[in-house]
Amino acid sequence: MSGPQCCSNPPTLDAASGAGHVENLAGFNTYVSGSLQSKFAILLVPDVFGYEAPNLRKLADKVAAAGFYVVAPDFFYGEPYDPDKPDRPIVEWLKDHGPAKGFEDAKLIVDALKSKGFSSIGAAGFCWGAKVVVELSKVPLIQAAVMLHPSFVTMDDMKSVKVPTAILGAEIDQRSPPELVKQFDEILKVNSVDSFTKIFPKCSHGWSVRYDVNDPTAAGCANEAHKDMLEWFTKYLN
C-alpha cells in the first residue's frame, strides 16, 4: 500500500507548464515534447500527482532536447491525488486509480506510439508509475525501463522483467528502501537482465520530480538522476 512518503511534498500543478503541448493520444490528454521525426519514444509514467507537475514536464522537455519524442499521459483522468481532500484519502483514491488500471492504459499509449512509427520505446516510472513500467517490462512492450523511487514493485515482479532496467533509489525511502532496491538488482543479475542500480544519499522518496528548484542540493540530485535515466535510454534504445 502507498505510504505517507508517496503523498508528501506535493507539487503545485500547472496545466500551462512546459515547452511542449497537450494533445489527445489514445484517448488520453497527454503532455508531448519533442519531434515526431525522432527515432525513439519515451513514455513517462508519473507519481500520484500526475502529468501537470511542472518538474515532470521540465524533465520531459529535457529528454526531448536529447532527441527523443516524449509523452506523459494523464493516467488519472483529470483527478490526480490531492492531499487537501480529506474525504478522498490515498487508499480510496487508489481504488479508482490503481497501477493495474494504469498498466492497461499504458498499453494503449504504447500501441499509439507504435502506430506513429516508433519501434523502439523506453518507459520511466516514478513512484506509482514504476509499477506500471515494471508491468510493461514483463510482457515486454518496451525496450528499456527506468524506475525511480518505485512503489508497489515486488521481488516477484522483478523476476519477470525482460528488458534492460535501471533502478534509481533514495537512501531515505520507506516504500523501496536501499536494501530492497539492491535485492531487485540481484534478481535482475541472476536472470541475466542488464541492470543499473544507484542509491542517492540523503535523498527521500520522490526526490527526482518533487524537488525544490530553488534548492541547489535537491536540484543537483534530481539532475543527476535525470542524467542517469537519459544515459540508460541512449544506451538501450536503438
Side-chain angles (χ1 to χ4, degrees):
M1 186 57 64
S2 183
Q5 280 191 318
C6 281
C7 313
S8 64
N9 193 28
T12 300
L13 303 184
D14 183 359
S17 61
H21 65 278
V22 175
E23 65 179 60
N24 184 299
L25 183 66
F28 296 86
N29 287 332
T30 302
Y31 181 75
V32 175
S33 191
S35 170
L36 279 170
Q37 303 306 312
S38 171
K39 296 179 180 179
F40 314 116
I42 303 293
L43 166 62
L44 299 184
V45 189
D47 62 14
V48 296
F49 297 109
Y51 85 130
E52 290 183 356
N55 284 347
L56 181 77
R57 292 190 173 188
K58 186 182 298 183
L59 175 56
D61 294 340
K62 184 187 298 186
V63 176
F68 297 95
Y69 182 76
V70 186
V71 298
D74 178 13
F75 285 104
F76 306 136
Y77 299 85
E79 193 204 13
Y81 174 67
D82 185 350
D84 292 327
K85 291 184 177 179
D87 59 333
R88 188 80 159 134
I90 189 68
V91 174
E92 292 299 317
W93 181 87
L94 283 168
K95 290 179 180 178
D96 293 325
H97 303 294
K101 178 67 168 65
F103 171 50
E104 294 303 317
D105 292 342
K107 288 192 287 187
L108 299 176
I109 297 294
V110 171
D111 285 345
L113 289 172
K114 289 180 177 177
S115 73
K116 290 180 179 291
F118 295 103
S119 58
S120 193
I121 300 169
F126 308 81
C127 184
W128 179 97
K131 178 67 170 182
V132 175
V133 169
V134 81
E135 295 296 336
L136 291 171
S137 302
K138 296 176 186 180
V139 184
L141 290 173
I142 55 177
Q143 283 64 57
V146 179
M147 297 189 295
L148 302 96
H149 37 88
S151 289
F152 306 104
V153 178
T154 66
M155 286 192 282
D156 281 343
D157 284 329
M158 300 309 296
K159 291 175 183 177
S160 300
V161 168
K162 296 180 175 63
V163 303
T165 299
I167 310 170
L168 307 180
E171 180 184 20
I172 308 164
D173 195 331
Q174 298 166 354
R175 297 302 309 150
S176 292
E179 298 76 16
L180 182 59
V181 170
K182 291 172 183 175
Q183 288 176 313
F184 289 167
D185 189 57
E186 289 168 3
I187 290 170
L188 294 173
K189 284 181 167 55
V190 167
N191 290 338
S192 299
V193 175
D194 286 355
S195 64
F196 172 77
T197 299
K198 188 173 186 177
I199 303 298
F200 285 72
K202 300 180 182 179
C203 290
S204 299
H205 182 86
W207 95 96
S208 73
V209 284
R210 282 184 248 155
Y211 60 93
D212 181 354
V213 295
N214 297 312
D215 181 338
T217 301
C221 288
N223 286 331
E224 183 179 342
H226 302 163
K227 179 175 178 289
D228 291 336
M229 183 189 83
L230 193 54
E231 288 177 351
W232 191 254
F233 287 136
T234 300
K235 180 178 181 179
Y236 286 100
L237 295 184
N238 50 60

